[in-house]
Amino acid sequence: MLFKRSLLHELVTTAIGAFLVLFGVVIAQRVAYYIGIAAKGSLASDAINTLLGFSMLKFLPMMLSLTLFLAVLLTLSRWHRDSEMVVWFTSGQGIASWISPVLRFAAPVVAVIALLSMFVTPWATMKGADFSNQLKSRDELATITPGVFKESRQADRVFFVESFDELGNVVKNIFVQSVQHQRIGIIVASRGHRESAENGDNFLVMQQGRRYEGKPDTPEFTVTEFERYAIRIEAGEVKQKPPNTQAKSTMDLLQEEHDAKNIAEIQWRLALPISAFVLVLMAIPLSFVDPRSGRSANMMLALMIYVIYNNLLSIMQAWLSQDKISPMVGLWPVHLLFLSLTVYMFYRRIFQLPLLPRWWGK
């Protein structure tokens, strides 16, 4: 009882720490990615948090899977390294005795991974795509970032706004350059705001400014001072596309025609919890630390196995979606390969043999 309680406590503590580190790394990478897009003017800054939330939901199953793998591996490796495992072995606890408490710890997380993979991730993908389409359909003024020049979609206007007020309703120090009928117009104004007409058209209304207009390479130009000047802002038109396979719900995939892409997507969603289960079992024999091979040898091998496992699943999914392999085969050979490798590792550890047999002489 003490053995299981001590193991469960350390597994939970290590899993929380590993998940926080992975979550921090992934969220930092995604924030940098979206900030880079927003800095170019292709994304409104107020949309970053929403897109970041949908993106993190899509990455959550893989983060939880890697968290389980690392939690079991790091915990049992420490017990081997600090000779605590020797104490449990001498008290009659063999390596097979670790399977039950480890699975008891991992089972709820694997169930959460299955729930996320089958239902939450497709929903997040669909909502993220819908939100991206809404952003594309917004008018050009909505994507302007203070202090950044923004070119219109038709490349006939350039906007610049120095700052917004606290509520974001009034803009200050506006610059607009437009090209019409081979004439360049430049408008500068001290302040402005957005207005919507009764028919739904949006306008940028500028106050207390000047308009300069003339032909390039000629001395012809005019200067007009105004108290109020309005520019019509056109909303973007986005063609509605049918949802891709990743955005379809699992029920829709099961009810639709079972073509290669649908089958590949269903098997990929099933592969995430299955691979998490296999990796948790594999971490038990893989956690053995050989003092002669260094402390990080098993960690390097574990990360290499994790990368190879996921890459093989991705390759098989691509072949399945391209109808290069039979749906009956699918991704199952990859799971069977690594499950067989897990059984082999348990066999070698039970008989206290090295994981890699020596084919050469002693």
Side-chain angles (χ1 to χ4, degrees), residues 135-175:
L135 293 178
K136 293 177 182 178
S137 64
R138 295 169 69 181
D139 57 60
E140 298 161 346
L141 197 61
T143 61
I144 292 179
T145 301
V148 178
F149 285 91
K150 170 65 177 178
E151 188 177 38
S152 65
R153 297 183 180 91
Q154 290 77 21
D156 59 351
R157 288 178 182 172
V158 177
F159 299 91
F160 178 86
V161 172
E162 183 179 10
S163 63
F164 292 96
D165 69 347
E166 295 181 356
L167 299 178
N169 297 323
V170 178
V171 293
K172 300 178 181 179
N173 295 333
I174 309 165
F175 169 91

mmCIF file of all heavy atoms in Angstrom, residues 135-175:
data_model
loop_
_atom_site.group_PDB
_atom_site.id
_atom_site.type_symbol
_atom_site.label_atom_id
_atom_site.label_comp_id
_atom_site.label_asym_id
_atom_site.label_seq_id
_atom_site.Cartn_x
_atom_site.Cartn_y
_atom_site.Cartn_z
ATOM 1 N N LEU A 135 -12.548 36.945 -39.510
ATOM 2 C CA LEU A 135 -11.504 37.962 -39.535
ATOM 3 C C LEU A 135 -11.233 38.433 -40.963
ATOM 4 O O LEU A 135 -11.018 39.626 -41.213
ATOM 5 C CB LEU A 135 -10.213 37.421 -38.920
ATOM 6 C CG LEU A 135 -10.235 37.122 -37.419
ATOM 7 C CD1 LEU A 135 -8.901 36.546 -36.986
ATOM 8 C CD2 LEU A 135 -10.529 38.394 -36.627
ATOM 9 N N LYS A 136 -11.250 37.491 -41.922
ATOM 10 C CA LYS A 136 -10.996 37.861 -43.311
ATOM 11 C C LYS A 136 -12.122 38.720 -43.883
ATOM 12 O O LYS A 136 -11.889 39.523 -44.794
ATOM 13 C CB LYS A 136 -10.825 36.608 -44.160
ATOM 14 C CG LYS A 136 -9.579 35.807 -43.830
ATOM 15 C CD LYS A 136 -9.497 34.538 -44.661
ATOM 16 C CE LYS A 136 -8.274 33.710 -44.292
ATOM 17 N NZ LYS A 136 -8.199 32.436 -45.062
ATOM 18 N N SER A 137 -13.336 38.533 -43.354
ATOM 19 C CA SER A 137 -14.475 39.300 -43.865
ATOM 20 C C SER A 137 -14.591 40.672 -43.214
ATOM 21 O O SER A 137 -15.429 41.474 -43.619
ATOM 22 C CB SER A 137 -15.776 38.516 -43.636
ATOM 23 O OG SER A 137 -16.030 38.348 -42.253
ATOM 24 N N ARG A 138 -13.788 40.943 -42.176
ATOM 25 C CA ARG A 138 -13.826 42.259 -41.539
ATOM 26 C C ARG A 138 -13.238 43.311 -42.473
ATOM 27 O O ARG A 138 -12.429 43.006 -43.351
ATOM 28 C CB ARG A 138 -13.040 42.236 -40.230
ATOM 29 C CG ARG A 138 -13.641 41.319 -39.178
ATOM 30 C CD ARG A 138 -12.716 41.103 -38.021
ATOM 31 N NE ARG A 138 -12.554 42.307 -37.211
ATOM 32 C CZ ARG A 138 -11.771 42.365 -36.139
ATOM 33 N NH1 ARG A 138 -11.091 41.288 -35.755
ATOM 34 N NH2 ARG A 138 -11.666 43.470 -35.449
ATOM 35 N N ASP A 139 -13.652 44.545 -42.267
ATOM 36 C CA ASP A 139 -13.138 45.607 -43.133
ATOM 37 C C ASP A 139 -11.683 45.911 -42.786
ATOM 38 O O ASP A 139 -11.135 45.455 -41.782
ATOM 39 C CB ASP A 139 -13.999 46.872 -43.003
ATOM 40 C CG ASP A 139 -14.083 47.377 -41.574
ATOM 41 O OD1 ASP A 139 -13.027 47.692 -41.005
ATOM 42 O OD2 ASP A 139 -15.198 47.422 -41.027
ATOM 43 N N GLU A 140 -11.064 46.708 -43.655
ATOM 44 C CA GLU A 140 -9.639 46.978 -43.525
ATOM 45 C C GLU A 140 -9.308 47.771 -42.274
ATOM 46 O O GLU A 140 -8.225 47.632 -41.709
ATOM 47 C CB GLU A 140 -9.160 47.745 -44.761
ATOM 48 C CG GLU A 140 -9.340 46.958 -46.041
ATOM 49 C CD GLU A 140 -9.319 47.845 -47.276
ATOM 50 O OE1 GLU A 140 -9.434 49.081 -47.127
ATOM 51 O OE2 GLU A 140 -9.204 47.296 -48.373
ATOM 52 N N LEU A 141 -10.227 48.584 -41.813
ATOM 53 C CA LEU A 141 -9.963 49.409 -40.643
ATOM 54 C C LEU A 141 -9.822 48.574 -39.376
ATOM 55 O O LEU A 141 -9.121 48.953 -38.448
ATOM 56 C CB LEU A 141 -11.089 50.435 -40.474
ATOM 57 C CG LEU A 141 -10.807 51.632 -39.564
ATOM 58 C CD1 LEU A 141 -9.640 52.428 -40.094
ATOM 59 C CD2 LEU A 141 -12.048 52.488 -39.417
ATOM 60 N N ALA A 142 -10.483 47.417 -39.352
ATOM 61 C CA ALA A 142 -10.453 46.588 -38.150
ATOM 62 C C ALA A 142 -9.097 45.940 -37.928
ATOM 63 O O ALA A 142 -8.794 45.507 -36.818
ATOM 64 C CB ALA A 142 -11.535 45.509 -38.241
ATOM 65 N N THR A 143 -8.278 45.824 -38.979
ATOM 66 C CA THR A 143 -6.983 45.163 -38.853
ATOM 67 C C THR A 143 -5.828 46.137 -38.696
ATOM 68 O O THR A 143 -4.675 45.718 -38.703
ATOM 69 C CB THR A 143 -6.731 44.289 -40.096
ATOM 70 O OG1 THR A 143 -6.722 45.123 -41.276
ATOM 71 C CG2 THR A 143 -7.800 43.229 -40.243
ATOM 72 N N ILE A 144 -6.139 47.423 -38.579
ATOM 73 C CA ILE A 144 -5.070 48.411 -38.449
ATOM 74 C C ILE A 144 -4.464 48.335 -37.054
ATOM 75 O O ILE A 144 -5.167 48.283 -36.054
ATOM 76 C CB ILE A 144 -5.600 49.829 -38.726
ATOM 77 C CG1 ILE A 144 -5.972 49.971 -40.208
ATOM 78 C CG2 ILE A 144 -4.571 50.878 -38.349
ATOM 79 C CD1 ILE A 144 -6.521 51.323 -40.563
ATOM 80 N N THR A 145 -3.138 48.310 -37.005
ATOM 81 C CA THR A 145 -2.404 48.324 -35.749
ATOM 82 C C THR A 145 -1.762 49.694 -35.577
ATOM 83 O O THR A 145 -1.138 50.206 -36.517
ATOM 84 C CB THR A 145 -1.307 47.246 -35.749
ATOM 85 O OG1 THR A 145 -1.921 45.972 -35.951
ATOM 86 C CG2 THR A 145 -0.551 47.231 -34.426
ATOM 87 N N PRO A 146 -1.919 50.346 -34.421
ATOM 88 C CA PRO A 146 -1.315 51.671 -34.224
ATOM 89 C C PRO A 146 0.187 51.650 -34.479
ATOM 90 O O PRO A 146 0.901 50.758 -34.017
ATOM 91 C CB PRO A 146 -1.630 51.992 -32.761
ATOM 92 C CG PRO A 146 -2.830 51.167 -32.446
ATOM 93 C CD PRO A 146 -2.699 49.920 -33.245
ATOM 94 N N GLY A 147 0.640 52.631 -35.243
ATOM 95 C CA GLY A 147 2.068 52.755 -35.530
ATOM 96 C C GLY A 147 2.561 51.904 -36.669
ATOM 97 O O GLY A 147 3.767 51.852 -36.915
ATOM 98 N N VAL A 148 1.659 51.221 -37.395
ATOM 99 C CA VAL A 148 2.045 50.330 -38.495
ATOM 100 C C VAL A 148 1.279 50.740 -39.747
ATOM 101 O O VAL A 148 0.056 50.925 -39.704
ATOM 102 C CB VAL A 148 1.751 48.846 -38.149
ATOM 103 C CG1 VAL A 148 2.112 47.950 -39.329
ATOM 104 C CG2 VAL A 148 2.529 48.432 -36.910
ATOM 105 N N PHE A 149 1.982 50.874 -40.873
ATOM 106 C CA PHE A 149 1.329 51.167 -42.138
ATOM 107 C C PHE A 149 0.594 49.914 -42.620
ATOM 108 O O PHE A 149 1.144 48.809 -42.596
ATOM 109 C CB PHE A 149 2.346 51.598 -43.194
ATOM 110 C CG PHE A 149 2.870 52.999 -42.999
ATOM 111 C CD1 PHE A 149 4.021 53.218 -42.246
ATOM 112 C CD2 PHE A 149 2.211 54.090 -43.540
ATOM 113 C CE1 PHE A 149 4.500 54.504 -42.054
ATOM 114 C CE2 PHE A 149 2.685 55.377 -43.355
ATOM 115 C CZ PHE A 149 3.832 55.588 -42.607
ATOM 116 N N LYS A 150 -0.647 50.089 -43.042
ATOM 117 C CA LYS A 150 -1.490 48.984 -43.475
ATOM 118 C C LYS A 150 -1.967 49.242 -44.901
ATOM 119 O O LYS A 150 -2.614 50.255 -45.175
ATOM 120 C CB LYS A 150 -2.693 48.842 -42.536
ATOM 121 C CG LYS A 150 -3.777 47.883 -43.020
ATOM 122 C CD LYS A 150 -3.291 46.456 -43.099
ATOM 123 C CE LYS A 150 -4.405 45.515 -43.508
ATOM 124 N NZ LYS A 150 -3.932 44.141 -43.640
ATOM 125 N N GLU A 151 -1.659 48.317 -45.811
ATOM 126 C CA GLU A 151 -2.088 48.445 -47.201
ATOM 127 C C GLU A 151 -3.424 47.740 -47.389
ATOM 128 O O GLU A 151 -3.670 46.678 -46.802
ATOM 129 C CB GLU A 151 -1.038 47.838 -48.137
ATOM 130 C CG GLU A 151 -1.301 48.100 -49.607
ATOM 131 C CD GLU A 151 -0.190 47.546 -50.490
ATOM 132 O OE1 GLU A 151 0.310 46.448 -50.165
ATOM 133 O OE2 GLU A 151 0.172 48.181 -51.476
ATOM 134 N N SER A 152 -4.286 48.323 -48.208
ATOM 135 C CA SER A 152 -5.598 47.727 -48.458
ATOM 136 C C SER A 152 -5.448 46.471 -49.310
ATOM 137 O O SER A 152 -4.392 46.217 -49.904
ATOM 138 C CB SER A 152 -6.516 48.727 -49.164
ATOM 139 O OG SER A 152 -6.019 49.038 -50.453
ATOM 140 N N ARG A 153 -6.526 45.687 -49.367
ATOM 141 C CA ARG A 153 -6.484 44.445 -50.137
ATOM 142 C C ARG A 153 -6.268 44.700 -51.622
ATOM 143 O O ARG A 153 -5.642 43.905 -52.317
ATOM 144 C CB ARG A 153 -7.780 43.649 -49.919
ATOM 145 C CG ARG A 153 -8.000 43.191 -48.487
ATOM 146 C CD ARG A 153 -9.254 42.354 -48.361
ATOM 147 N NE ARG A 153 -9.463 41.912 -47.002
ATOM 148 C CZ ARG A 153 -10.177 42.590 -46.105
ATOM 149 N NH1 ARG A 153 -10.737 43.735 -46.450
ATOM 150 N NH2 ARG A 153 -10.326 42.131 -44.884
ATOM 151 N N GLN A 154 -6.838 45.796 -52.129
ATOM 152 C CA GLN A 154 -6.681 46.119 -53.549
ATOM 153 C C GLN A 154 -5.395 46.898 -53.814
ATOM 154 O O GLN A 154 -5.133 47.272 -54.966
ATOM 155 C CB GLN A 154 -7.875 46.953 -54.046
ATOM 156 C CG GLN A 154 -9.181 46.186 -54.140
ATOM 157 C CD GLN A 154 -9.821 45.981 -52.770
ATOM 158 O OE1 GLN A 154 -9.515 46.719 -51.832
ATOM 159 N NE2 GLN A 154 -10.704 45.005 -52.655
ATOM 160 N N ALA A 155 -4.598 47.146 -52.789
ATOM 161 C CA ALA A 155 -3.323 47.860 -52.906
ATOM 162 C C ALA A 155 -3.504 49.267 -53.452
ATOM 163 O O ALA A 155 -2.587 49.816 -54.076
ATOM 164 C CB ALA A 155 -2.342 47.067 -53.766
ATOM 165 N N ASP A 156 -4.682 49.870 -53.259
ATOM 166 C CA ASP A 156 -4.907 51.234 -53.732
ATOM 167 C C ASP A 156 -4.968 52.240 -52.586
ATOM 168 O O ASP A 156 -5.122 53.432 -52.819
ATOM 169 C CB ASP A 156 -6.196 51.322 -54.562
ATOM 170 C CG ASP A 156 -7.418 50.876 -53.765
ATOM 171 O OD1 ASP A 156 -7.237 50.351 -52.641
ATOM 172 O OD2 ASP A 156 -8.544 51.047 -54.265
ATOM 173 N N ARG A 157 -4.836 51.756 -51.326
ATOM 174 C CA ARG A 157 -4.841 52.642 -50.179
ATOM 175 C C ARG A 157 -3.806 52.180 -49.158
ATOM 176 O O ARG A 157 -3.534 50.982 -49.034
ATOM 177 C CB ARG A 157 -6.215 52.681 -49.506
ATOM 178 C CG ARG A 157 -7.305 53.416 -50.267
ATOM 179 C CD ARG A 157 -8.595 53.330 -49.505
ATOM 180 N NE ARG A 157 -9.694 53.990 -50.209
ATOM 181 C CZ ARG A 157 -10.961 53.923 -49.837
ATOM 182 N NH1 ARG A 157 -11.287 53.222 -48.753
ATOM 183 N NH2 ARG A 157 -11.897 54.541 -50.518
ATOM 184 N N VAL A 158 -3.271 53.150 -48.449
ATOM 185 C CA VAL A 158 -2.367 52.867 -47.342
ATOM 186 C C VAL A 158 -2.858 53.658 -46.142
ATOM 187 O O VAL A 158 -3.063 54.883 -46.234
ATOM 188 C CB VAL A 158 -0.910 53.247 -47.668
ATOM 189 C CG1 VAL A 158 -0.014 53.010 -46.449
ATOM 190 C CG2 VAL A 158 -0.398 52.440 -48.853
ATOM 191 N N PHE A 159 -3.070 52.958 -45.015
ATOM 192 C CA PHE A 159 -3.570 53.600 -43.801
ATOM 193 C C PHE A 159 -2.464 53.651 -42.746
ATOM 194 O O PHE A 159 -1.613 52.752 -42.662
ATOM 195 C CB PHE A 159 -4.763 52.831 -43.218
ATOM 196 C CG PHE A 159 -5.948 52.742 -44.124
ATOM 197 C CD1 PHE A 159 -6.095 51.689 -45.006
ATOM 198 C CD2 PHE A 159 -6.935 53.710 -44.102
ATOM 199 C CE1 PHE A 159 -7.194 51.583 -45.840
ATOM 200 C CE2 PHE A 159 -8.032 53.627 -44.928
ATOM 201 C CZ PHE A 159 -8.171 52.569 -45.796
ATOM 202 N N PHE A 160 -2.499 54.690 -41.942
ATOM 203 C CA PHE A 160 -1.600 54.777 -40.790
ATOM 204 C C PHE A 160 -2.339 55.514 -39.675
ATOM 205 O O PHE A 160 -2.912 56.588 -39.904
ATOM 206 C CB PHE A 160 -0.309 55.514 -41.137
ATOM 207 C CG PHE A 160 0.621 55.663 -39.956
ATOM 208 C CD1 PHE A 160 1.514 54.662 -39.620
ATOM 209 C CD2 PHE A 160 0.588 56.809 -39.162
ATOM 210 C CE1 PHE A 160 2.362 54.786 -38.532
ATOM 211 C CE2 PHE A 160 1.433 56.946 -38.069
ATOM 212 C CZ PHE A 160 2.319 55.931 -37.758
ATOM 213 N N VAL A 161 -2.316 54.949 -38.498
ATOM 214 C CA VAL A 161 -2.938 55.555 -37.320
ATOM 215 C C VAL A 161 -1.894 55.570 -36.210
ATOM 216 O O VAL A 161 -1.278 54.533 -35.915
ATOM 217 C CB VAL A 161 -4.187 54.775 -36.879
ATOM 218 C CG1 VAL A 161 -4.700 55.304 -35.555
ATOM 219 C CG2 VAL A 161 -5.277 54.857 -37.933
ATOM 220 N N GLU A 162 -1.715 56.723 -35.606
ATOM 221 C CA GLU A 162 -0.698 56.817 -34.562
ATOM 222 C C GLU A 162 -1.150 56.131 -33.282
ATOM 223 O O GLU A 162 -0.387 55.404 -32.641
ATOM 224 C CB GLU A 162 -0.365 58.286 -34.280
ATOM 225 C CG GLU A 162 0.756 58.450 -33.255
ATOM 226 C CD GLU A 162 1.097 59.897 -32.993
ATOM 227 O OE1 GLU A 162 0.346 60.782 -33.456
ATOM 228 O OE2 GLU A 162 2.113 60.151 -32.319
ATOM 229 N N SER A 163 -2.410 56.352 -32.883
ATOM 230 C CA SER A 163 -2.869 55.773 -31.627
ATOM 231 C C SER A 163 -4.386 55.749 -31.589
ATOM 232 O O SER A 163 -5.065 56.420 -32.378
ATOM 233 C CB SER A 163 -2.336 56.574 -30.429
ATOM 234 O OG SER A 163 -2.841 57.896 -30.458
ATOM 235 N N PHE A 164 -4.912 54.931 -30.654
ATOM 236 C CA PHE A 164 -6.334 54.893 -30.347
ATOM 237 C C PHE A 164 -6.555 55.504 -28.969
ATOM 238 O O PHE A 164 -5.623 55.595 -28.157
ATOM 239 C CB PHE A 164 -6.860 53.453 -30.346
ATOM 240 C CG PHE A 164 -6.870 52.790 -31.692
ATOM 241 C CD1 PHE A 164 -5.820 51.981 -32.087
ATOM 242 C CD2 PHE A 164 -7.929 52.974 -32.562
ATOM 243 C CE1 PHE A 164 -5.834 51.366 -33.319
ATOM 244 C CE2 PHE A 164 -7.950 52.358 -33.799
ATOM 245 C CZ PHE A 164 -6.906 51.563 -34.182
ATOM 246 N N ASP A 165 -7.811 55.889 -28.712
ATOM 247 C CA ASP A 165 -8.117 56.321 -27.355
ATOM 248 C C ASP A 165 -8.294 55.103 -26.467
ATOM 249 O O ASP A 165 -8.148 53.960 -26.909
ATOM 250 C CB ASP A 165 -9.365 57.217 -27.335
ATOM 251 C CG ASP A 165 -10.631 56.431 -27.661
ATOM 252 O OD1 ASP A 165 -10.505 55.290 -28.139
ATOM 253 O OD2 ASP A 165 -11.732 56.958 -27.455
ATOM 254 N N GLU A 166 -8.607 55.312 -25.193
ATOM 255 C CA GLU A 166 -8.677 54.206 -24.239
ATOM 256 C C GLU A 166 -9.735 53.182 -24.615
ATOM 257 O O GLU A 166 -9.571 51.981 -24.387
ATOM 258 C CB GLU A 166 -8.939 54.745 -22.830
ATOM 259 C CG GLU A 166 -7.805 55.603 -22.289
ATOM 260 C CD GLU A 166 -8.088 56.099 -20.893
ATOM 261 O OE1 GLU A 166 -9.200 55.821 -20.393
ATOM 262 O OE2 GLU A 166 -7.225 56.763 -20.305
ATOM 263 N N LEU A 167 -10.856 53.626 -25.196
ATOM 264 C CA LEU A 167 -11.933 52.711 -25.563
ATOM 265 C C LEU A 167 -11.772 52.168 -26.981
ATOM 266 O O LEU A 167 -12.504 51.263 -27.383
ATOM 267 C CB LEU A 167 -13.291 53.418 -25.432
ATOM 268 C CG LEU A 167 -13.654 53.909 -24.035
ATOM 269 C CD1 LEU A 167 -14.997 54.633 -24.075
ATOM 270 C CD2 LEU A 167 -13.698 52.755 -23.047
ATOM 271 N N GLY A 168 -10.826 52.697 -27.749
ATOM 272 C CA GLY A 168 -10.605 52.200 -29.098
ATOM 273 C C GLY A 168 -11.599 52.720 -30.110
ATOM 274 O O GLY A 168 -11.637 52.233 -31.237
ATOM 275 N N ASN A 169 -12.412 53.711 -29.746
ATOM 276 C CA ASN A 169 -13.421 54.235 -30.670
ATOM 277 C C ASN A 169 -12.914 55.402 -31.506
ATOM 278 O O ASN A 169 -13.391 55.641 -32.608
ATOM 279 C CB ASN A 169 -14.665 54.680 -29.894
ATOM 280 C CG ASN A 169 -15.331 53.522 -29.173
ATOM 281 O OD1 ASN A 169 -15.368 52.416 -29.701
ATOM 282 N ND2 ASN A 169 -15.839 53.766 -27.983
ATOM 283 N N VAL A 170 -11.968 56.155 -30.978
ATOM 284 C CA VAL A 170 -11.445 57.339 -31.656
ATOM 285 C C VAL A 170 -9.973 57.118 -31.975
ATOM 286 O O VAL A 170 -9.203 56.686 -31.110
ATOM 287 C CB VAL A 170 -11.617 58.599 -30.780
ATOM 288 C CG1 VAL A 170 -11.033 59.829 -31.474
ATOM 289 C CG2 VAL A 170 -13.088 58.818 -30.455
ATOM 290 N N VAL A 171 -9.608 57.414 -33.240
ATOM 291 C CA VAL A 171 -8.214 57.290 -33.665
ATOM 292 C C VAL A 171 -7.612 58.685 -33.772
ATOM 293 O O VAL A 171 -8.303 59.668 -34.050
ATOM 294 C CB VAL A 171 -8.110 56.556 -35.015
ATOM 295 C CG1 VAL A 171 -8.529 55.114 -34.866
ATOM 296 C CG2 VAL A 171 -8.965 57.240 -36.079
ATOM 297 N N LYS A 172 -6.311 58.757 -33.554
ATOM 298 C CA LYS A 172 -5.629 60.047 -33.545
ATOM 299 C C LYS A 172 -4.494 60.044 -34.557
ATOM 300 O O LYS A 172 -3.820 59.027 -34.747
ATOM 301 C CB LYS A 172 -5.095 60.346 -32.141
ATOM 302 C CG LYS A 172 -6.178 60.409 -31.066
ATOM 303 C CD LYS A 172 -5.598 60.649 -29.690
ATOM 304 C CE LYS A 172 -6.692 60.689 -28.626
ATOM 305 N NZ LYS A 172 -6.143 60.909 -27.275
ATOM 306 N N ASN A 173 -4.300 61.223 -35.186
ATOM 307 C CA ASN A 173 -3.230 61.428 -36.163
ATOM 308 C C ASN A 173 -3.284 60.373 -37.265
ATOM 309 O O ASN A 173 -2.544 59.390 -37.253
ATOM 310 C CB ASN A 173 -1.870 61.425 -35.478
ATOM 311 C CG ASN A 173 -1.706 62.599 -34.526
ATOM 312 O OD1 ASN A 173 -2.322 63.650 -34.713
ATOM 313 N ND2 ASN A 173 -0.891 62.422 -33.501
ATOM 314 N N ILE A 174 -4.191 60.590 -38.213
ATOM 315 C CA ILE A 174 -4.482 59.634 -39.284
ATOM 316 C C ILE A 174 -3.762 60.061 -40.556
ATOM 317 O O ILE A 174 -3.681 61.257 -40.877
ATOM 318 C CB ILE A 174 -5.993 59.564 -39.551
ATOM 319 C CG1 ILE A 174 -6.754 59.347 -38.240
ATOM 320 C CG2 ILE A 174 -6.325 58.470 -40.532
ATOM 321 C CD1 ILE A 174 -8.223 59.621 -38.361
ATOM 322 N N PHE A 175 -3.263 59.054 -41.277
ATOM 323 C CA PHE A 175 -2.664 59.267 -42.595
ATOM 324 C C PHE A 175 -3.282 58.243 -43.546
ATOM 325 O O PHE A 175 -3.288 57.048 -43.261
ATOM 326 C CB PHE A 175 -1.145 59.080 -42.533
ATOM 327 C CG PHE A 175 -0.469 59.033 -43.880
ATOM 328 C CD1 PHE A 175 0.010 60.190 -44.479
ATOM 329 C CD2 PHE A 175 -0.312 57.828 -44.550
ATOM 330 C CE1 PHE A 175 0.638 60.138 -45.711
ATOM 331 C CE2 PHE A 175 0.313 57.774 -45.782
ATOM 332 C CZ PHE A 175 0.790 58.935 -46.368
#
